Amino acid sequence: MSPLRIAIAGASGRMGRMLIEATLREEGAVLASAFDRPGTTFIGRDAGELSGSATGVLITDDSRAAIAAADCVIDFTRPEGTLAHLAIARELGKAMVIGTTGFSTTEKETIAAAAQTIPVVFAPNMAVGVNAVFKLLEVAARILNDGYDVEVIEAHHRFKVDAPSGTALRMGEVVARELGRDLEMCAIYGREGVTGERKAETIGFSTIRGGDVVGDHTVLFAGIGERIEITHKSGSRMPYASGSLRAARFLAGRSSGLFDMQDVLGLR
Ligand SMILES: NC(=O)C1=CN([C@@H]2O[C@H](COP(=O)(O)OP(=O)(O)OC[C@H]3O[C@@H](n4cnc5c(N)ncnc54)[C@H](OP(=O)(O)O)[C@@H]3O)[C@@H](O)[C@H]2O)C=CC1
Ligand SMILES: O=C(O)C1=N[C@H](C(=O)O)C[C@H](O)C1
C-alpha cells in the first residue's frame, strides 16, 4: 500500500514542528509538504530543521501546491488560516484534520459544509487522554446530576490567543448536554464585582495564562460537603500530534463526513 502523504500547515508553529516530527516517525506515512504563511521566518528552510532532522522537504508559502501534493492536510494555525486552507482542500478533494481552536459558530458551520464533500476530523483536543476525560465527564455529570456546581478551570502558556480553550469549551458542552442544559445559555466566562450568589444551573469558566504551561484542564463538581475534580495535564504536545496522525489514518479511504476524535477512537 502506498504511504499516506501528509501536508503540515503552520509548519513553523509550536504544533507544526511537533506534527513534522510525528509524521517523520509515523509508519505508513510520509511528509509530503510543509507550509506556512508568507513572511514567516522559516519559509525555504528544511521542515526538519526545527526538530533537528533533515527531511529534504522545504517549508513553502505556496499553500495550494503543498495541499495538492498530499492526501491529507493537518492544520493547527488560526481560524482564518484554517478556513483558507479548507477552501483549497475542498476544491482539490483532500482530507483535512483540523486542530485549530477559537472558531465562531458561523465558521464552524463553514467547516461542516465543507465536510459534505471532503472528509474532516475537527477536534479541539487530539490527545487520547483528554478524549477519555470527555467520557469520564459524561459519567460524572450523569451520576452527580443535581446539587453540584460545575466549574471548568484551564491553564495555558502565555502565547495562547483564544480563551477559554477549545478543550474547556468542549468539556462544558459535554457536561451541559448530559445535564440537559444549553451551554450558550448557562456559561459564565469569569466573574468580577458584586456578582450575586451563584445560580445553580450555570457552568463557570476560569482561564489562567502564563509561562510555558502546555495545557491543564480541570472540571470541578462542587457540592455541599464534598468536591470532585477531574483533571488532565499535558506535559508535551506530542499526544496532540500523535492523535492527529491517527485521525489522518482514520480519514484515509473516506470520501466525506465531519468527525471528531471520539469517532477516531471509537468512543461514540
Ligand atoms: N486540537 C488540539 O489538540 C490542539 C489545538 N491547538 C490549537 O492549534 C492552534 C495553533 O497552536 P500553536 O501551534 O500553539 O500556535 P503557533 O502560533 O505556535 O503556530 C501557529 C502557526 O500558524 C501560522 N499562522 C498564523 N496565522 C495564520 C494564518 N492566518 N494563515 C496561515 N497560517 C497562520 C503561524 O505563523 P506565524 O508564526 O507567522 O504567525 C504559525 O506558524 C491554536 O488554535 C491552538 O489552540 C494546539 C494544541 C493542541
Ligand atoms: O493552544 C494550545 O496550546 C492548546 N489548545 C487547545 C485548546 O484550545 O483546547 C488544546 C490544548 O489545550 C493546547
Side-chain angles (χ1 to χ4, degrees):
M1 221 166 66
S2 48
L4 187 61
R5 296 171 305 156
I6 304 288
I8 306 294
S12 47
R14 278 174 291 276
M15 277 307 299
R17 297 168 195 206
M18 199 51 77
L19 285 158
I20 289 167
E21 202 179 318
T23 305
L24 294 173
R25 283 194 209 162
E26 183 81 2
E27 250 181 67
V30 288
L31 180 68
S33 56
F35 63 106
D36 220 320
R37 60 175 171 174
T40 300
T41 322
F42 294 95
I43 302 297
R45 309 255 288 265
D46 191 287
E49 192 181 313
L50 292 164
S51 51
S53 49
T55 64
V57 175
L58 302 185
I59 299 179
T60 176
D61 57 6
D62 185 344
S63 49
R64 174 172 290 273
I67 294 170
D71 302 306
C72 180
V73 189
I74 305 184
D75 190 311
F76 286 65
T77 58
R78 296 282 179 272
E80 61 277 22
T82 302
L83 293 179
H85 306 149
L86 179 70
I88 299 171
R90 187 180 193 178
E91 206 184 308
L92 300 177
K94 306 292 184 177
M96 195 151 171
V97 174
I98 301 176
T100 308
T101 56
F103 292 98
S104 67
T105 305
T106 315
E107 289 170 335
K108 286 183 193 165
E109 285 165 7
T110 304
I111 295 173
Q116 288 176 4
T117 45
I118 56 165
V120 176
V121 171
F122 174 38
N125 203 306
M126 305 289 177
V128 174
V130 166
N131 283 276
V133 166
F134 292 151
K135 277 314 215 195
L136 298 178
L137 289 173
E138 277 179 17
V139 175
R142 201 174 310 143
I143 296 170
L144 300 172
N145 198 338
D146 258 352
Y148 293 83
D149 300 324
V150 182
E151 295 283 320
V152 184
I153 303 118
E154 59 102 335
H156 283 85
H157 50 95
R158 64 169 69 142
F159 307 104
K160 186 161 177 62
V161 297
D162 55 314
S165 70
T167 307
L169 290 169
R170 178 60 53 85
M171 288 174 160
E173 279 163 14
V174 167
V175 173
R177 191 191 322 123
E178 206 55 47
L179 297 176
R181 300 179 201 164
D182 176 354
L183 188 65
E184 281 196 16
M185 305 302 292
C186 68
I188 301 285
Y189 298 108
R191 298 181 178 90
E192 194 184 24
V194 182
T195 58
E197 285 186 14
R198 190 186 192 288
K199 292 199 175 63
E201 71 281 6
T202 55
I203 295 180
F205 289 85
S206 304
T207 294
I208 296 161
R209 292 286 175 265
D212 61 357
V213 180
V214 178
D216 295 349
H217 293 90
T218 293
V219 179
L220 164 68
F221 295 85
I224 302 296
E226 61 175 357
R227 292 194 299 277
I228 301 97
E229 293 182 1
I230 299 180
T231 295
H232 178 278
K233 291 181 190 239
S234 294
S236 150
R237 293 186 171 84
M238 193 45 90
Y240 310 139
S242 309
S244 304
L245 282 154
R246 196 159 165 173
R249 275 191 272 118
F250 171 88
L251 292 179
R254 291 178 199 264
S255 57
S256 64
L258 183 61
F259 308 97
D260 73 9
M261 280 307 283
Q262 299 284 302
D263 299 300
V264 174
L265 299 173
L267 295 174
R268 287 256 177 252

